[in-house]
Amino acid sequence: AQTVTQSQPEMSVQEAETVTLSCTYDTSESNYYLFWYKQPPSRQMILVIRQEAYKQQNATENRFSVNFQKAAKSFSLKISDSQLGDTAMYFCAFINYGGSQGNLIFGKGTKLSVKP
Amino acid sequence: NAGVTQTPKFQVLKTGQSMTLQCAQDMNHEYMSWYRQDPGMGLRLIHYSVGAGITDQGEVPNGYNVSRSTTEDFPLRLLSAAPSQTSVYFCASQPGQASKAFFGQGTRLTVV
């Protein structure tokens, strides 16, 4: 079975500090993409960052970066210089490609609170 | 710049009623899908479509029907609403199999 596990249901961080959200996944495929999505209280799903599994280099997007460990099937998200607007649910997800199905498989989410 | 449009945003149904959640995208994406989001459960796939005329079941399809007569539209039908279908529903579209997904704003459905 293909699964995504986010072991931290809730986290909090002080404004301007750094926080890391954990994610592990399980798939027997070798070709896939990994994603982190942010869902603020507005309910909109916003793509934060994407990582191609075949790339060894970790993806970065401004204050957001990932630590991708393919052998360990781990994909953590680091948020630097946390801002109040980062308060949201964060979902880790992946898509296999190369076969006939290309649907996102999500973790259960981590609720992040950034405190002033 | 519409993207993915879902209607309605909120809906209250009585048990046993039927309704259709609408989803339309203007990006000419082949892949479309429906998810439901429940507290502590993340997003779970209900149905998906890889193109007009082609649909398939996801993880939690029971109680829902879909059809895809055009590339743009992918409605989700609740046949006989049950309280267990109280949830937030998201429609998504993707330009390709492993591409970034574009999400609608979601529909909060309450079945009483």
Side-chain angles (χ1 to χ4, degrees), chain B residues 6-35:
Chain B
Q6 276 184 247
T7 54
K9 288 187 170 53
F10 300 94
Q11 183 71 48
V12 178
L13 285 180
K14 293 183 179 179
T15 298
Q17 286 185 319
S18 63
M19 79 160 294
T20 300
L21 305 185
Q22 301 291 346
C23 177
Q25 53 96 3
D26 61 359
M27 298 173 283
N28 202 33
H29 289 173
E30 291 296 326
Y31 282 76
M32 295 187 75
S33 48
W34 277 100
Y35 294 86

PDB file of all heavy atoms in Angstrom, chain B residues 6-35:
ATOM      1  N   GLN B   6     -15.298  25.582  -7.978  1.00  0.00           N
ATOM      2  CA  GLN B   6     -16.216  24.660  -7.342  1.00  0.00           C
ATOM      3  C   GLN B   6     -17.439  25.423  -6.866  1.00  0.00           C
ATOM      4  O   GLN B   6     -17.319  26.512  -6.311  1.00  0.00           O
ATOM      5  CB  GLN B   6     -15.567  24.037  -6.101  1.00  0.00           C
ATOM      6  CG  GLN B   6     -14.702  22.853  -6.336  1.00  0.00           C
ATOM      7  CD  GLN B   6     -14.204  22.263  -5.025  1.00  0.00           C
ATOM      8  OE1 GLN B   6     -13.020  22.315  -4.746  1.00  0.00           O
ATOM      9  NE2 GLN B   6     -15.119  21.702  -4.233  1.00  0.00           N
ATOM     10  N   THR B   7     -18.592  24.818  -7.049  1.00  0.00           N
ATOM     11  CA  THR B   7     -19.818  25.371  -6.483  1.00  0.00           C
ATOM     12  C   THR B   7     -20.690  24.241  -5.957  1.00  0.00           C
ATOM     13  O   THR B   7     -20.696  23.139  -6.525  1.00  0.00           O
ATOM     14  CB  THR B   7     -20.611  26.158  -7.544  1.00  0.00           C
ATOM     15  OG1 THR B   7     -20.846  25.318  -8.683  1.00  0.00           O
ATOM     16  CG2 THR B   7     -19.863  27.409  -7.974  1.00  0.00           C
ATOM     17  N   PRO B   8     -21.438  24.478  -4.869  1.00  0.00           N
ATOM     18  CA  PRO B   8     -21.407  25.679  -4.033  1.00  0.00           C
ATOM     19  C   PRO B   8     -20.230  25.656  -3.061  1.00  0.00           C
ATOM     20  O   PRO B   8     -19.513  24.663  -2.986  1.00  0.00           O
ATOM     21  CB  PRO B   8     -22.734  25.574  -3.273  1.00  0.00           C
ATOM     22  CG  PRO B   8     -22.924  24.097  -3.093  1.00  0.00           C
ATOM     23  CD  PRO B   8     -22.393  23.462  -4.357  1.00  0.00           C
ATOM     24  N   LYS B   9     -20.034  26.695  -2.295  1.00  0.00           N
ATOM     25  CA  LYS B   9     -19.006  26.738  -1.265  1.00  0.00           C
ATOM     26  C   LYS B   9     -19.499  26.108   0.031  1.00  0.00           C
ATOM     27  O   LYS B   9     -18.711  25.558   0.801  1.00  0.00           O
ATOM     28  CB  LYS B   9     -18.557  28.175  -1.008  1.00  0.00           C
ATOM     29  CG  LYS B   9     -17.719  28.769  -2.129  1.00  0.00           C
ATOM     30  CD  LYS B   9     -17.164  30.115  -1.764  1.00  0.00           C
ATOM     31  CE  LYS B   9     -16.142  30.597  -2.776  1.00  0.00           C
ATOM     32  NZ  LYS B   9     -16.632  30.592  -4.164  1.00  0.00           N
ATOM     33  N   PHE B  10     -20.771  26.209   0.285  1.00  0.00           N
ATOM     34  CA  PHE B  10     -21.379  25.631   1.486  1.00  0.00           C
ATOM     35  C   PHE B  10     -22.708  24.987   1.089  1.00  0.00           C
ATOM     36  O   PHE B  10     -23.394  25.497   0.202  1.00  0.00           O
ATOM     37  CB  PHE B  10     -21.646  26.695   2.556  1.00  0.00           C
ATOM     38  CG  PHE B  10     -20.415  27.416   3.020  1.00  0.00           C
ATOM     39  CD1 PHE B  10     -20.043  28.610   2.432  1.00  0.00           C
ATOM     40  CD2 PHE B  10     -19.642  26.905   4.046  1.00  0.00           C
ATOM     41  CE1 PHE B  10     -18.906  29.290   2.854  1.00  0.00           C
ATOM     42  CE2 PHE B  10     -18.502  27.568   4.473  1.00  0.00           C
ATOM     43  CZ  PHE B  10     -18.140  28.759   3.878  1.00  0.00           C
ATOM     44  N   GLN B  11     -23.061  23.896   1.769  1.00  0.00           N
ATOM     45  CA  GLN B  11     -24.331  23.235   1.498  1.00  0.00           C
ATOM     46  C   GLN B  11     -24.743  22.430   2.710  1.00  0.00           C
ATOM     47  O   GLN B  11     -23.906  21.758   3.329  1.00  0.00           O
ATOM     48  CB  GLN B  11     -24.216  22.313   0.286  1.00  0.00           C
ATOM     49  CG  GLN B  11     -25.512  21.637  -0.116  1.00  0.00           C
ATOM     50  CD  GLN B  11     -26.493  22.603  -0.729  1.00  0.00           C
ATOM     51  OE1 GLN B  11     -26.165  23.404  -1.613  1.00  0.00           O
ATOM     52  NE2 GLN B  11     -27.729  22.550  -0.251  1.00  0.00           N
ATOM     53  N   VAL B  12     -26.033  22.508   3.039  1.00  0.00           N
ATOM     54  CA  VAL B  12     -26.607  21.671   4.077  1.00  0.00           C
ATOM     55  C   VAL B  12     -27.667  20.793   3.420  1.00  0.00           C
ATOM     56  O   VAL B  12     -28.537  21.297   2.704  1.00  0.00           O
ATOM     57  CB  VAL B  12     -27.233  22.506   5.210  1.00  0.00           C
ATOM     58  CG1 VAL B  12     -27.858  21.581   6.246  1.00  0.00           C
ATOM     59  CG2 VAL B  12     -26.188  23.409   5.857  1.00  0.00           C
ATOM     60  N   LEU B  13     -27.570  19.500   3.653  1.00  0.00           N
ATOM     61  CA  LEU B  13     -28.516  18.554   3.092  1.00  0.00           C
ATOM     62  C   LEU B  13     -29.189  17.759   4.207  1.00  0.00           C
ATOM     63  O   LEU B  13     -28.594  17.564   5.277  1.00  0.00           O
ATOM     64  CB  LEU B  13     -27.802  17.551   2.184  1.00  0.00           C
ATOM     65  CG  LEU B  13     -27.325  17.980   0.813  1.00  0.00           C
ATOM     66  CD1 LEU B  13     -26.640  16.801   0.121  1.00  0.00           C
ATOM     67  CD2 LEU B  13     -28.472  18.489  -0.038  1.00  0.00           C
ATOM     68  N   LYS B  14     -30.372  17.283   3.917  1.00  0.00           N
ATOM     69  CA  LYS B  14     -31.012  16.348   4.825  1.00  0.00           C
ATOM     70  C   LYS B  14     -30.648  14.926   4.397  1.00  0.00           C
ATOM     71  O   LYS B  14     -30.427  14.657   3.198  1.00  0.00           O
ATOM     72  CB  LYS B  14     -32.515  16.542   4.801  1.00  0.00           C
ATOM     73  CG  LYS B  14     -32.961  17.874   5.387  1.00  0.00           C
ATOM     74  CD  LYS B  14     -34.481  17.979   5.408  1.00  0.00           C
ATOM     75  CE  LYS B  14     -34.907  19.310   6.026  1.00  0.00           C
ATOM     76  NZ  LYS B  14     -36.383  19.455   6.043  1.00  0.00           N
ATOM     77  N   THR B  15     -30.609  14.034   5.347  1.00  0.00           N
ATOM     78  CA  THR B  15     -30.327  12.630   5.048  1.00  0.00           C
ATOM     79  C   THR B  15     -31.278  12.119   3.977  1.00  0.00           C
ATOM     80  O   THR B  15     -32.493  12.329   4.056  1.00  0.00           O
ATOM     81  CB  THR B  15     -30.458  11.785   6.325  1.00  0.00           C
ATOM     82  OG1 THR B  15     -29.482  12.245   7.273  1.00  0.00           O
ATOM     83  CG2 THR B  15     -30.216  10.323   6.035  1.00  0.00           C
ATOM     84  N   GLY B  16     -30.698  11.465   2.977  1.00  0.00           N
ATOM     85  CA  GLY B  16     -31.495  10.906   1.892  1.00  0.00           C
ATOM     86  C   GLY B  16     -31.611  11.801   0.672  1.00  0.00           C
ATOM     87  O   GLY B  16     -31.973  11.317  -0.407  1.00  0.00           O
ATOM     88  N   GLN B  17     -31.314  13.075   0.812  1.00  0.00           N
ATOM     89  CA  GLN B  17     -31.365  13.968  -0.343  1.00  0.00           C
ATOM     90  C   GLN B  17     -30.193  13.690  -1.267  1.00  0.00           C
ATOM     91  O   GLN B  17     -29.155  13.154  -0.855  1.00  0.00           O
ATOM     92  CB  GLN B  17     -31.334  15.432   0.103  1.00  0.00           C
ATOM     93  CG  GLN B  17     -32.635  15.927   0.709  1.00  0.00           C
ATOM     94  CD  GLN B  17     -32.601  17.408   1.024  1.00  0.00           C
ATOM     95  OE1 GLN B  17     -31.598  17.938   1.522  1.00  0.00           O
ATOM     96  NE2 GLN B  17     -33.704  18.089   0.746  1.00  0.00           N
ATOM     97  N   SER B  18     -30.344  14.086  -2.510  1.00  0.00           N
ATOM     98  CA  SER B  18     -29.255  13.966  -3.471  1.00  0.00           C
ATOM     99  C   SER B  18     -28.836  15.359  -3.927  1.00  0.00           C
ATOM    100  O   SER B  18     -29.617  16.318  -3.818  1.00  0.00           O
ATOM    101  CB  SER B  18     -29.682  13.142  -4.680  1.00  0.00           C
ATOM    102  OG  SER B  18     -30.750  13.792  -5.364  1.00  0.00           O
ATOM    103  N   MET B  19     -27.605  15.467  -4.377  1.00  0.00           N
ATOM    104  CA  MET B  19     -27.147  16.736  -4.921  1.00  0.00           C
ATOM    105  C   MET B  19     -25.895  16.520  -5.752  1.00  0.00           C
ATOM    106  O   MET B  19     -25.276  15.444  -5.687  1.00  0.00           O
ATOM    107  CB  MET B  19     -26.858  17.764  -3.827  1.00  0.00           C
ATOM    108  CG  MET B  19     -25.550  17.597  -3.117  1.00  0.00           C
ATOM    109  SD  MET B  19     -25.006  19.105  -2.281  1.00  0.00           S
ATOM    110  CE  MET B  19     -24.710  20.210  -3.656  1.00  0.00           C
ATOM    111  N   THR B  20     -25.548  17.529  -6.507  1.00  0.00           N
ATOM    112  CA  THR B  20     -24.348  17.494  -7.341  1.00  0.00           C
ATOM    113  C   THR B  20     -23.435  18.644  -6.978  1.00  0.00           C
ATOM    114  O   THR B  20     -23.867  19.794  -6.928  1.00  0.00           O
ATOM    115  CB  THR B  20     -24.722  17.585  -8.831  1.00  0.00           C
ATOM    116  OG1 THR B  20     -25.553  16.471  -9.173  1.00  0.00           O
ATOM    117  CG2 THR B  20     -23.471  17.572  -9.696  1.00  0.00           C
ATOM    118  N   LEU B  21     -22.192  18.310  -6.699  1.00  0.00           N
ATOM    119  CA  LEU B  21     -21.157  19.323  -6.521  1.00  0.00           C
ATOM    120  C   LEU B  21     -20.520  19.564  -7.891  1.00  0.00           C
ATOM    121  O   LEU B  21     -20.091  18.618  -8.550  1.00  0.00           O
ATOM    122  CB  LEU B  21     -20.092  18.858  -5.525  1.00  0.00           C
ATOM    123  CG  LEU B  21     -20.574  18.412  -4.136  1.00  0.00           C
ATOM    124  CD1 LEU B  21     -19.375  18.099  -3.254  1.00  0.00           C
ATOM    125  CD2 LEU B  21     -21.454  19.446  -3.502  1.00  0.00           C
ATOM    126  N   GLN B  22     -20.462  20.830  -8.253  1.00  0.00           N
ATOM    127  CA  GLN B  22     -19.942  21.169  -9.568  1.00  0.00           C
ATOM    128  C   GLN B  22     -18.457  21.508  -9.497  1.00  0.00           C
ATOM    129  O   GLN B  22     -17.977  22.093  -8.528  1.00  0.00           O
ATOM    130  CB  GLN B  22     -20.704  22.365 -10.154  1.00  0.00           C
ATOM    131  CG  GLN B  22     -22.193  22.157 -10.303  1.00  0.00           C
ATOM    132  CD  GLN B  22     -22.537  21.137 -11.380  1.00  0.00           C
ATOM    133  OE1 GLN B  22     -21.691  20.762 -12.212  1.00  0.00           O
ATOM    134  NE2 GLN B  22     -23.779  20.656 -11.358  1.00  0.00           N
ATOM    135  N   CYS B  23     -17.733  21.118 -10.541  1.00  0.00           N
ATOM    136  CA  CYS B  23     -16.315  21.463 -10.662  1.00  0.00           C
ATOM    137  C   CYS B  23     -16.021  21.753 -12.126  1.00  0.00           C
ATOM    138  O   CYS B  23     -16.351  20.939 -12.997  1.00  0.00           O
ATOM    139  CB  CYS B  23     -15.425  20.326 -10.170  1.00  0.00           C
ATOM    140  SG  CYS B  23     -13.659  20.660 -10.377  1.00  0.00           S
ATOM    141  N   ALA B  24     -15.418  22.887 -12.372  1.00  0.00           N
ATOM    142  CA  ALA B  24     -15.048  23.264 -13.735  1.00  0.00           C
ATOM    143  C   ALA B  24     -13.647  23.855 -13.723  1.00  0.00           C
ATOM    144  O   ALA B  24     -13.282  24.594 -12.812  1.00  0.00           O
ATOM    145  CB  ALA B  24     -16.044  24.276 -14.295  1.00  0.00           C
ATOM    146  N   GLN B  25     -12.881  23.508 -14.767  1.00  0.00           N
ATOM    147  CA  GLN B  25     -11.542  24.091 -14.923  1.00  0.00           C
ATOM    148  C   GLN B  25     -11.382  24.611 -16.348  1.00  0.00           C
ATOM    149  O   GLN B  25     -11.920  24.028 -17.291  1.00  0.00           O
ATOM    150  CB  GLN B  25     -10.448  23.075 -14.562  1.00  0.00           C
ATOM    151  CG  GLN B  25     -10.537  21.748 -15.280  1.00  0.00           C
ATOM    152  CD  GLN B  25      -9.680  21.630 -16.513  1.00  0.00           C
ATOM    153  OE1 GLN B  25      -8.927  22.535 -16.874  1.00  0.00           O
ATOM    154  NE2 GLN B  25      -9.782  20.488 -17.184  1.00  0.00           N
ATOM    155  N   ASP B  26     -10.632  25.699 -16.447  1.00  0.00           N
ATOM    156  CA  ASP B  26     -10.477  26.351 -17.754  1.00  0.00           C
ATOM    157  C   ASP B  26      -9.039  26.273 -18.242  1.00  0.00           C
ATOM    158  O   ASP B  26      -8.603  27.120 -19.032  1.00  0.00           O
ATOM    159  CB  ASP B  26     -10.958  27.800 -17.676  1.00  0.00           C
ATOM    160  CG  ASP B  26     -10.172  28.636 -16.665  1.00  0.00           C
ATOM    161  OD1 ASP B  26      -9.264  28.082 -16.007  1.00  0.00           O
ATOM    162  OD2 ASP B  26     -10.478  29.832 -16.525  1.00  0.00           O
ATOM    163  N   MET B  27      -8.296  25.276 -17.767  1.00  0.00           N
ATOM    164  CA  MET B  27      -6.885  25.158 -18.107  1.00  0.00           C
ATOM    165  C   MET B  27      -6.615  24.009 -19.080  1.00  0.00           C
ATOM    166  O   MET B  27      -5.459  23.685 -19.351  1.00  0.00           O
ATOM    167  CB  MET B  27      -6.073  24.964 -16.817  1.00  0.00           C
ATOM    168  CG  MET B  27      -6.196  26.155 -15.867  1.00  0.00           C
ATOM    169  SD  MET B  27      -5.433  25.881 -14.255  1.00  0.00           S
ATOM    170  CE  MET B  27      -6.677  24.852 -13.484  1.00  0.00           C
ATOM    171  N   ASN B  28      -7.670  23.368 -19.562  1.00  0.00           N
ATOM    172  CA  ASN B  28      -7.548  22.265 -20.503  1.00  0.00           C
ATOM    173  C   ASN B  28      -6.757  21.087 -19.917  1.00  0.00           C
ATOM    174  O   ASN B  28      -6.015  20.400 -20.640  1.00  0.00           O
ATOM    175  CB  ASN B  28      -6.913  22.732 -21.821  1.00  0.00           C
ATOM    176  CG  ASN B  28      -7.249  21.798 -22.974  1.00  0.00           C
ATOM    177  OD1 ASN B  28      -8.329  21.217 -23.028  1.00  0.00           O
ATOM    178  ND2 ASN B  28      -6.313  21.647 -23.899  1.00  0.00           N
ATOM    179  N   HIS B  29      -6.911  20.861 -18.629  1.00  0.00           N
ATOM    180  CA  HIS B  29      -6.207  19.760 -17.972  1.00  0.00           C
ATOM    181  C   HIS B  29      -6.929  18.445 -18.221  1.00  0.00           C
ATOM    182  O   HIS B  29      -8.157  18.366 -18.181  1.00  0.00           O
ATOM    183  CB  HIS B  29      -6.133  20.000 -16.460  1.00  0.00           C
ATOM    184  CG  HIS B  29      -5.204  21.098 -16.093  1.00  0.00           C
ATOM    185  ND1 HIS B  29      -5.111  21.570 -14.793  1.00  0.00           N
ATOM    186  CD2 HIS B  29      -4.314  21.818 -16.816  1.00  0.00           C
ATOM    187  CE1 HIS B  29      -4.205  22.538 -14.742  1.00  0.00           C
ATOM    188  NE2 HIS B  29      -3.717  22.708 -15.967  1.00  0.00           N
ATOM    189  N   GLU B  30      -6.147  17.386 -18.456  1.00  0.00           N
ATOM    190  CA  GLU B  30      -6.732  16.071 -18.665  1.00  0.00           C
ATOM    191  C   GLU B  30      -7.146  15.417 -17.347  1.00  0.00           C
ATOM    192  O   GLU B  30      -8.157  14.760 -17.255  1.00  0.00           O
ATOM    193  CB  GLU B  30      -5.732  15.170 -19.401  1.00  0.00           C
ATOM    194  CG  GLU B  30      -5.484  15.567 -20.850  1.00  0.00           C
ATOM    195  CD  GLU B  30      -6.736  15.428 -21.716  1.00  0.00           C
ATOM    196  OE1 GLU B  30      -7.541  14.507 -21.459  1.00  0.00           O
ATOM    197  OE2 GLU B  30      -6.909  16.251 -22.637  1.00  0.00           O
ATOM    198  N   TYR B  31      -6.310  15.563 -16.332  1.00  0.00           N
ATOM    199  CA  TYR B  31      -6.557  14.884 -15.074  1.00  0.00           C
ATOM    200  C   TYR B  31      -7.423  15.746 -14.171  1.00  0.00           C
ATOM    201  O   TYR B  31      -7.121  16.920 -13.927  1.00  0.00           O
ATOM    202  CB  TYR B  31      -5.232  14.601 -14.352  1.00  0.00           C
ATOM    203  CG  TYR B  31      -4.471  13.420 -14.892  1.00  0.00           C
ATOM    204  CD1 TYR B  31      -3.762  13.515 -16.086  1.00  0.00           C
ATOM    205  CD2 TYR B  31      -4.455  12.212 -14.217  1.00  0.00           C
ATOM    206  CE1 TYR B  31      -3.059  12.443 -16.594  1.00  0.00           C
ATOM    207  CE2 TYR B  31      -3.757  11.130 -14.718  1.00  0.00           C
ATOM    208  CZ  TYR B  31      -3.059  11.247 -15.904  1.00  0.00           C
ATOM    209  OH  TYR B  31      -2.366  10.178 -16.392  1.00  0.00           O
ATOM    210  N   MET B  32      -8.485  15.120 -13.637  1.00  0.00           N
ATOM    211  CA  MET B  32      -9.291  15.776 -12.615  1.00  0.00           C
ATOM    212  C   MET B  32      -9.632  14.761 -11.532  1.00  0.00           C
ATOM    213  O   MET B  32      -9.718  13.554 -11.806  1.00  0.00           O
ATOM    214  CB  MET B  32     -10.571  16.374 -13.207  1.00  0.00           C
ATOM    215  CG  MET B  32     -10.302  17.508 -14.203  1.00  0.00           C
ATOM    216  SD  MET B  32     -11.795  18.344 -14.762  1.00  0.00           S
ATOM    217  CE  MET B  32     -12.205  19.332 -13.312  1.00  0.00           C
ATOM    218  N   SER B  33      -9.854  15.265 -10.333  1.00  0.00           N
ATOM    219  CA  SER B  33     -10.113  14.349  -9.217  1.00  0.00           C
ATOM    220  C   SER B  33     -10.938  15.030  -8.142  1.00  0.00           C
ATOM    221  O   SER B  33     -10.997  16.265  -8.090  1.00  0.00           O
ATOM    222  CB  SER B  33      -8.789  13.837  -8.632  1.00  0.00           C
ATOM    223  OG  SER B  33      -7.893  14.906  -8.400  1.00  0.00           O
ATOM    224  N   TRP B  34     -11.572  14.212  -7.329  1.00  0.00           N
ATOM    225  CA  TRP B  34     -12.321  14.675  -6.176  1.00  0.00           C
ATOM    226  C   TRP B  34     -11.738  14.049  -4.913  1.00  0.00           C
ATOM    227  O   TRP B  34     -11.486  12.840  -4.867  1.00  0.00           O
ATOM    228  CB  TRP B  34     -13.798  14.281  -6.273  1.00  0.00           C
ATOM    229  CG  TRP B  34     -14.627  15.204  -7.103  1.00  0.00           C
ATOM    230  CD1 TRP B  34     -15.027  15.015  -8.389  1.00  0.00           C
ATOM    231  CD2 TRP B  34     -15.174  16.458  -6.693  1.00  0.00           C
ATOM    232  NE1 TRP B  34     -15.787  16.079  -8.815  1.00  0.00           N
ATOM    233  CE2 TRP B  34     -15.898  16.978  -7.787  1.00  0.00           C
ATOM    234  CE3 TRP B  34     -15.130  17.195  -5.516  1.00  0.00           C
ATOM    235  CZ2 TRP B  34     -16.569  18.200  -7.736  1.00  0.00           C
ATOM    236  CZ3 TRP B  34     -15.792  18.405  -5.458  1.00  0.00           C
ATOM    237  CH2 TRP B  34     -16.513  18.897  -6.555  1.00  0.00           C
ATOM    238  N   TYR B  35     -11.563  14.898  -3.882  1.00  0.00           N
ATOM    239  CA  TYR B  35     -11.088  14.463  -2.589  1.00  0.00           C
ATOM    240  C   TYR B  35     -12.083  14.906  -1.528  1.00  0.00           C
ATOM    241  O   TYR B  35     -12.770  15.908  -1.686  1.00  0.00           O
ATOM    242  CB  TYR B  35      -9.731  15.092  -2.260  1.00  0.00           C
ATOM    243  CG  TYR B  35      -8.595  14.654  -3.151  1.00  0.00           C
ATOM    244  CD1 TYR B  35      -8.345  15.293  -4.360  1.00  0.00           C
ATOM    245  CD2 TYR B  35      -7.752  13.606  -2.774  1.00  0.00           C
ATOM    246  CE1 TYR B  35      -7.293  14.894  -5.174  1.00  0.00           C
ATOM    247  CE2 TYR B  35      -6.703  13.211  -3.583  1.00  0.00           C
ATOM    248  CZ  TYR B  35      -6.486  13.858  -4.777  1.00  0.00           C
ATOM    249  OH  TYR B  35      -5.435  13.461  -5.584  1.00  0.00           O
TER     250      TYR B  35
END
